Amino acid sequence: MKKNRMWKFIKKLLLFTLLISIIGLFAIYRYYFQDVLKYETQVYTELKTSNLEEYTPLLLGLMMQETKGKGKDPMQASESLGLAKDSIQDTSKSIQQGVSHFKDVYSYGKKQGVDLQTIIQSYNMGIAYIDFVKTHGGKHTDQLAKTYSLSMVEKNPELYTCNNNKKNFRYPYCYGDFTYSQKVMKKTKYFEILVPLKNNIVGKP
């Protein structure tokens, strides 16, 4: 009898712990990720036109890295059009262009046979990074990103300076962020959990 009571107590404790974990995740969604998650439906819709909707959490992770969903250009997509940073002043246009830019680098990356991390990094460093990685084994590494960054700095040293701040973690690799891919991948893992959790709690948008 004592063993049965103990087992029932343990099951209740485990159930309570699971419930607290779910509530905790939902709290994270509400207070930390909500500015990005509100764009989930549009990101999903834009990706679906090319049958890439499975990458919705990835694009949300990318947006989280870029702006945390803040501002008029949450995807930081202006520069992919050759415009100055934050030139886009409409969130819908930002998402349309950001997803379009991802589609372009994804399609090209697949043709060149590089890995997904290279494709993600190229959103930050430009599509030419894919060609660079292809000629160096086809898989992204921080060291390859550093090498590519430094080559771009050497081409335009007056532009890519990290504001001459040698304490900047990127210095002297001041073109792009050589850690961009790993940061996006880490954030994507959160959205792989939070998107289905959000939809189960508040309903599929």
Side-chain angles (χ1 to χ4, degrees), residues 16-205:
F16 177 75
T17 302
L18 178 60
L19 181 61
I20 291 298
S21 298
I22 292 173
I23 292 172
L25 283 172
F26 187 55
I28 291 173
Y29 147 63
R30 290 189 62 184
Y31 297 108
Y32 190 63
F33 293 99
Q34 61 180 343
D35 287 332
V36 171
L37 281 167
K38 68 184 179 183
Y39 295 117
E40 178 206 347
T41 300
Q42 186 176 356
V43 170
Y44 176 89
T45 301
E46 294 290 339
L47 286 168
K48 190 173 176 60
T49 61
S50 298
N51 296 316
L52 294 174
E53 63 270 21
E54 66 183 282
Y55 292 105
T56 299
L58 173 59
L59 268 290
L60 296 177
L62 190 151
M63 184 190 294
M64 190 72 189
Q65 175 61 30
E66 291 286 351
T67 65
K68 295 182 173 63
K70 309 289 187 182
K72 300 294 184 181
D73 187 6
M75 295 293 290
Q76 286 293 288
S78 298
E79 291 169 283
S80 68
L81 286 171
L83 304 174
K85 183 179 179 180
D86 294 324
S87 292
I88 294 176
Q89 289 293 298
D90 181 281
T91 57
S92 292
K93 290 181 180 179
S94 173
I95 292 170
Q96 288 172 1
Q97 177 55 31
V99 173
S100 177
H101 180 45
F102 174 76
K103 289 177 181 177
D104 288 342
V105 296
Y106 179 86
S107 176
Y108 188 67
K110 285 297 181 181
K111 288 179 181 178
Q112 297 303 313
V114 299
D115 64 347
L116 182 60
Q117 288 193 22
T118 298
I119 292 168
I120 296 169
Q121 189 70 34
S122 69
Y123 188 96
N124 175 257
M125 286 186 159
I127 202 166
Y129 179 69
I130 291 173
D131 294 321
F132 177 80
V133 172
K134 181 185 179 181
T135 61
H136 291 80
K139 291 186 177 181
H140 163 81
T141 65
D142 283 358
Q143 188 55 53
L144 279 179
K146 283 181 177 180
T147 302
Y148 182 75
S149 175
L150 200 58
S151 71
M152 297 298 285
V153 171
E154 289 171 352
K155 290 179 181 178
N156 204 336
E158 295 181 358
L159 179 61
Y160 306 117
T161 65
C162 295
N163 293 319
N164 296 311
N165 179 10
K166 293 185 178 181
K167 293 183 179 180
N168 188 316
F169 81 94
R170 294 185 297 132
Y171 191 88
Y173 313 104
C174 296
Y175 176 83
D177 176 357
F178 62 86
T179 66
Y180 185 83
S181 179
Q182 70 180 66
K183 288 174 179 174
V184 171
M185 293 292 283
K186 183 177 180 179
K187 291 174 172 62
T188 297
K189 291 180 180 178
Y190 290 110
F191 287 104
E192 287 174 344
I193 297 170
L194 289 169
V195 168
L197 175 62
K198 165 183 173 268
N199 292 337
N200 287 335
I201 292 174
V202 300
K204 179 69 180 175

